Amino acid sequence: MMRSIAAWALILACGLGVAGGAGAAEGLVNAKDFQADARTAAKRRVPILVLFSSPDCPYCDRVKREYLVPMHKDPAYRDRVVIREVTVDAGTPLKGFKGGATTQGEFSADHKVFMVPTVKVFDTQGDPAGDAIVGLLSADYYFGYLENAIDEGVRKVRGK
């Protein structure tokens, strides 16, 4: 446990140093094709974490900058999760988990996301792997909430 906390502190410090003056979204992949993402996740035997965000949301920027961008850039997370971002009100084309054409906004509505930031973890079939993390909640515990959601997704995908 202490090793995990120390590793996260180092990752966070490096991530903040790298992303300090940069836009918060740098380093996150905007969702375009969940069917392809699901194939990648299935090969790695990992879940897909989706951040539902909005461009004018300071809490979304904070979640990206302090948590998800450092995770996305950390090679250790490659074996634990695929991370994507969806803009809740965007008309940006998106291929859903079943291959159907939709938009990021429609995908958000279909998954009942009406508040940002919202983080949902999906299995490789596109089914939710646990409860959503809605809002920033307590910043002191947010990393733990993300870790628990990822762990739950990994258990579901790997059948453990």
Side-chain angles (χ1 to χ4, degrees), residues 29-100:
V29 177
N30 199 343
K32 291 181 178 69
D33 184 346
F34 277 124
Q35 193 173 45
D37 293 334
R39 282 192 301 268
T40 299
K43 285 180 191 172
R44 293 185 197 164
R45 298 184 64 224
V46 300
I48 301 165
L49 180 150
V50 179
L51 169 66
F52 293 89
S53 67
S54 178
D56 299 325
C57 169
Y59 299 105
C60 300
D61 289 339
R62 185 171 177 194
V63 166
K64 288 186 274 189
R65 182 181 64 249
E66 293 182 18
Y67 303 99
L68 296 181
V69 169
M71 282 181 175
H72 180 71
K73 291 181 177 184
D74 180 358
Y77 279 91
R78 180 177 169 80
D79 294 332
R80 295 195 57 218
V81 69
V82 171
I83 301 173
R84 295 293 180 260
E85 182 176 10
V86 168
T87 303
V88 294
D89 54 0
T92 308
L94 175 67
K95 185 185 280 189
F97 282 101
K98 307 297 184 214

Side-chain angles (χ1 to χ4, degrees), residues 29 36 45 115 131 133:
V29 177
R45 298 184 64 224
M115 183 176 178
D131 294 332
I133 303 170

Side-chain angles (χ1 to χ4, degrees), residues 72-155:
H72 180 71
K73 291 181 177 184
D74 180 358
Y77 279 91
R78 180 177 169 80
D79 294 332
R80 295 195 57 218
V81 69
V82 171
I83 301 173
R84 295 293 180 260
E85 182 176 10
V86 168
T87 303
V88 294
D89 54 0
T92 308
L94 175 67
K95 185 185 280 189
F97 282 101
K98 307 297 184 214
T102 188
T103 67
Q104 290 192 7
E106 290 170 349
F107 182 83
S108 301
D110 289 346
H111 289 280
K112 298 179 181 23
V113 175
F114 302 106
M115 183 176 178
V116 292
T118 293
V119 171
K120 285 190 167 205
V121 177
F122 296 90
D123 66 15
T124 57
Q125 305 301 308
D127 296 320
D131 294 332
I133 303 170
V134 180
L136 182 55
L137 306 172
S138 171
D140 291 339
Y141 300 107
Y142 198 77
F143 176 72
Y145 298 142
L146 290 171
E147 281 288 308
N148 288 340
I150 292 168
D151 288 345
E152 193 171 341
V154 168
R155 280 191 298 276

Side-chain angles (χ1 to χ4, degrees), residues 18-19 22-28 69 73:
V18 170
E26 287 184 17
L28 283 188
V69 169
K73 291 181 177 184

